[in-house]
Amino acid sequence: MHPLTIRCCSHLRSGSIPISIIAGRQWTKPNPFRNPSHTLPLWLVRRNHDAPSAAKAIVIGAGPAGIAVVGNLFEALPRGKIVWIDRAFEGGSVGQFHRELPSYSPAGDYLEYARAIQTFRDISAEAQQPNAVTKLRQLEREMTCSLNYAADMLMLMTDGLLKSPRIEPVMGTVARVVRNPRIREWTVTLDTPEIGFDPNPVTFTAPIVVYCTGTHPKVTALPLPIDRLTVETALAPSRLKLLLPRDEHRRVAVFGSGHTAVLVLRNLFRLAAISHRKLRIRWFTRSENLVYAEPDPYYDLDEDLASAVKGEGVEWGADMRVKNESGGLAGEAAWFARTQLEGERLKGSDAGQFIERIVLPQVEEGLSEQEREAKEHEFMLQGGHLERVDHVVQCIGWERARLPELRPGLGPWRGPIGKPKKLIFNALTGSFFPSGGKRNEVVGLYGAGSAFPELVPTTKGWREPAVGIWKFMKFVNKMVPRWVQATKKGYFAKEDDGKDAEGRRRFHQYY
């Protein structure tokens, strides 16, 4: 696998495209759901060289967080090269799978993302009009919209960033990340080809590495072998319509009661009501009551939380007055749930003609998730609830995508040595530190996005993950200058030491 751009010279090349088989297959494979204009420009593809590539930063992932990180690093490192690694450069899961979804956030959030930094403002100003940003300006800022608008905006920023000679796009997957403590640099190694052995794997070095690797739907075992529909397919009506036959009896089981599950139920209901009249849905949920993101009229903060919020410079505004903001239903999903699914309303609603709700039994407190699932499986088997079910969609949460292996150091022949490290993620600073090791052993490694979100103060409890395109940008915009300074010095500044200590004590996550 080879990078799509040069490593030691900048002359353009026309004619043949010297990229690897894997990268070429990923780049050129047909995708009927992709906007044809959203492909890497041919003039970006340049001659490959075998010399190792040194850069100021390496960003892994090209979704909303990865785009934000690259844009902010582009400004924080005005003369540095940035290696940007992704498998598609299509706006992450938003651009590849979720274009047909209604947004969770208002349209104004996506416009703020596009105007957050000067680099993005320049890209939108130089783009031919009308473009994705001008279309966002025409929407009601406080209303939700189709994620197609957000995906087009992300692709506009991606294409604009890729035009810079300071950004080196690489199509591929990272296999290993190793730090050289002597020179304080990371070596990133890409996966080898699918067939054969590559004696000279592609590597890049830089003092800063940022994980923006994203998440994917969580999947657990089922008590019976049933064909699965992926969440990505169930969230795309156009794909779902092609996959499910029109004139055959089909029953789909949907597990979950969150935002994703409600949108899947809505898609299946619309198919059953319009074109797939023999389609039926069984909805498995742990409670009849759904949770909504809504204004909190009794919003109040205790003194400790108020001082913490003020100390972080968080503005007191609408963002701080929404309860269940992280996991509650909002937008079209909330409207569909209130009018069609909520409580006893399901029995008399239009959706109730096609959707049967099965509430899983409540279990005693103190059981592990595995023990709870075992009891639920027993209930479903004894009641025959999975009989005659043809497909299953599990909307039970999200988990981190596969992360690169991290090794503690380099040997005399620059090969990785030691066992893979177990790291702890600090969700207040976006940094990592080793379990049982010293903090400065992994300075220069950071994370952002849905896999590594910031934890922010909320109306109930202490903190919750800040997941959303605009929330990613706010966190990255705040932390990238600090990441750059901490990497240069080898430690965080005093204003971040407190957060680092608090993150180690209370808000860390292992991986």
Side-chain angles (χ1 to χ4, degrees):
M1 184 173 299
H2 300 283
L4 295 183
T5 60
I6 63 161
R7 301 188 199 170
C8 60
C9 70
S10 59
H11 56 274
L12 299 177
R13 178 179 176 85
S14 59
S16 61
I17 303 175
I19 60 178
S20 71
I21 295 175
I22 298 176
R25 187 181 305 141
Q26 291 173 336
W27 188 31
T28 59
K29 65 181 180 181
N31 185 347
F33 305 102
R34 181 190 338 182
N35 189 323
S37 64
H38 294 158
T39 57
L40 289 178
L42 285 178
W43 58 266
L44 268 178
V45 183
R46 307 177 185 177
R47 183 175 303 180
N48 292 288
H49 295 267
D50 295 327
S53 177
K56 291 293 184 181
I58 299 172
V59 179
I60 305 172
I67 297 167
V69 169
V70 171
N72 279 272
L73 284 172
F74 190 83
E75 296 187 358
L77 302 170
R79 290 180 296 276
K81 185 173 73 173
I82 301 168
V83 173
W84 196 6
I85 303 173
D86 192 69
R87 290 179 294 182
F89 291 96
E90 293 180 1
S93 59
V94 175
Q96 292 177 280
F97 307 119
H98 299 159
R99 283 180 171 270
E100 298 179 61
L101 286 180
S103 68
Y104 187 90
S105 304
D109 282 7
Y110 307 126
L111 189 59
E112 290 300 317
Y113 180 102
R115 301 191 305 197
I117 56 177
Q118 185 61 47
T119 299
F120 284 5
R121 293 193 291 270
D122 292 342
I123 290 173
S124 59
E126 294 171 4
Q128 182 178 357
Q129 296 191 12
N131 56 50
V133 175
T134 60
K135 292 178 182 178
L136 280 172
R137 291 197 190 107
Q138 297 172 0
L139 302 177
E140 291 289 338
R141 290 177 57 89
E142 302 303 322
M143 301 295 292
T144 57
C145 63
S146 168
L147 276 182
N148 192 54
Y149 288 97
D152 286 345
M153 181 272 295
L154 294 173
M155 287 309 308
L156 177 66
M157 299 306 158
T158 299
D159 293 342
L161 290 169
L162 292 178
K163 290 180 182 179
S164 171
R166 287 176 45 211
I167 295 177
E168 182 172 353
V170 180
M171 273 188 171
T173 303
V174 175
R176 185 182 302 114
V177 178
V178 182
R179 187 170 190 263
N180 187 335
R182 184 177 58 83
I183 59 175
R184 295 182 180 179
E185 282 198 342
W186 296 90
T187 297
V188 171
T189 303
L190 269 61
D191 263 338
T192 54
E194 296 173 346
I195 301 175
F197 172 74
D198 187 355
N200 298 305
V202 176
T203 61
F204 301 89
T205 60
I208 297 177
V209 174
V210 186
Y211 286 163
C212 301
T213 47
T215 56
H216 58 77
K218 185 179 179 181
V219 175
T220 61
L222 295 169
L224 293 175
I226 304 175
D227 180 62
R228 293 179 183 266
L229 288 177
T230 66
V231 171
E232 290 85 358
T233 297
L235 288 174
S238 60
R239 304 183 195 187
L240 204 57
K241 183 178 180 179
L242 294 175
L243 181 65
L244 296 175
R246 283 173 173 256
D247 302 321
E248 295 181 16
H249 290 281
R250 289 297 171 99
R251 181 172 278 108
V252 179
V254 178
F255 286 80
S257 58
H259 195 81
T260 302
V262 170
L263 290 177
V264 169
L265 291 170
R266 186 200 66 161
N267 290 346
L268 290 169
F269 159 64
R270 288 181 174 179
L271 277 184
I274 298 174
S275 59
H276 293 58
R277 301 293 294 180
K278 296 182 179 181
L279 176 64
R280 295 296 181 267
I281 304 105
R282 281 184 182 168
W283 176 26
F284 292 85
T285 175
R286 288 177 171 175
S287 173
E288 288 189 13
N289 300 318
L290 300 171
V291 177
Y292 299 87
E294 54 192 357
D296 187 356
Y298 305 105
Y299 172 77
D300 193 14
L301 291 177
D302 57 39
E303 293 182 1
D304 293 338
L305 182 55
S307 61
V309 171
K310 292 177 182 178
E312 293 182 4
V314 178
E315 296 180 2
W316 297 79
D319 290 343
M320 292 294 294
R321 300 179 183 272
V322 177
K323 63 180 180 181
N324 305 319
E325 186 177 9
S326 177
L329 302 177
E332 288 191 31
W335 178 85
F336 179 73
R338 290 186 192 278
T339 58
Q340 299 287 332
L341 305 178
E342 186 65 59
E344 294 297 320
R345 184 167 294 174
L346 176 64
K347 295 179 180 179
S349 68
D350 294 335
Q353 302 177 41
F354 307 96
I355 299 175
E356 173 193 3
R357 177 170 50 207
I358 299 172
V359 180
L360 298 172
Q362 298 297 311
V363 298
E364 58 270 23
E365 295 183 1
L367 291 182
S368 67
E369 186 63 24
Q370 290 77 11
E371 292 172 327
R372 182 172 187 172
E373 288 179 0
K375 287 185 174 293
E376 292 173 347
H377 289 178
E378 182 181 358
F379 166 79
M380 288 185 282
L381 289 174
Q382 291 179 350
H385 298 299
L386 290 179
E387 292 180 1
R388 298 188 303 277
V389 170
D390 302 292
H391 309 282
V392 169
V393 186
Q394 285 187 304
C395 308
I396 55 176
W398 303 78
E399 58 187 4
R400 291 183 181 129
R402 183 182 72 87
L403 293 167
E405 178 184 81
L406 190 136
R407 296 277 184 164
L410 293 171
W413 291 280
R414 301 193 64 77
I417 59 174
K419 296 181 179 179
K421 273 188 175 294
K422 184 177 183 180
L423 295 184
I424 300 173
F425 174 65
N426 184 339
L428 300 187
T429 61
S431 60
F432 295 87
F433 51 92
S435 176
K438 295 181 179 179
R439 172 68 181 84
N440 60 9
E441 291 180 6
V442 291
V443 168
L445 183 65
Y446 308 102
S450 59
F452 300 104
E454 180 188 19
L455 288 176
V456 297
T458 60
T459 61
K460 293 181 66 176
W462 179 246
R463 294 177 185 266
E464 68 179 9
V467 177
I469 291 178
W470 172 229
K471 294 175 182 178
F472 297 157
M473 171 59 82
K474 288 194 289 186
F475 178 57
V476 167
N477 186 256
K478 174 177 63 176
M479 292 309 303
V480 160
R482 302 179 191 178
W483 292 348
V484 171
Q485 290 301 317
T487 304
K488 290 180 180 178
K489 296 178 180 178
Y491 56 88
F492 273 96
K494 286 186 177 181
E495 59 266 26
D496 292 315
D497 284 343
K499 287 186 181 181
D500 195 51
E502 185 183 8
R504 286 197 302 269
R505 186 175 69 255
R506 303 180 63 180
F507 305 115
H508 60 263
Q509 300 173 353
Y510 288 87
Y511 87 86

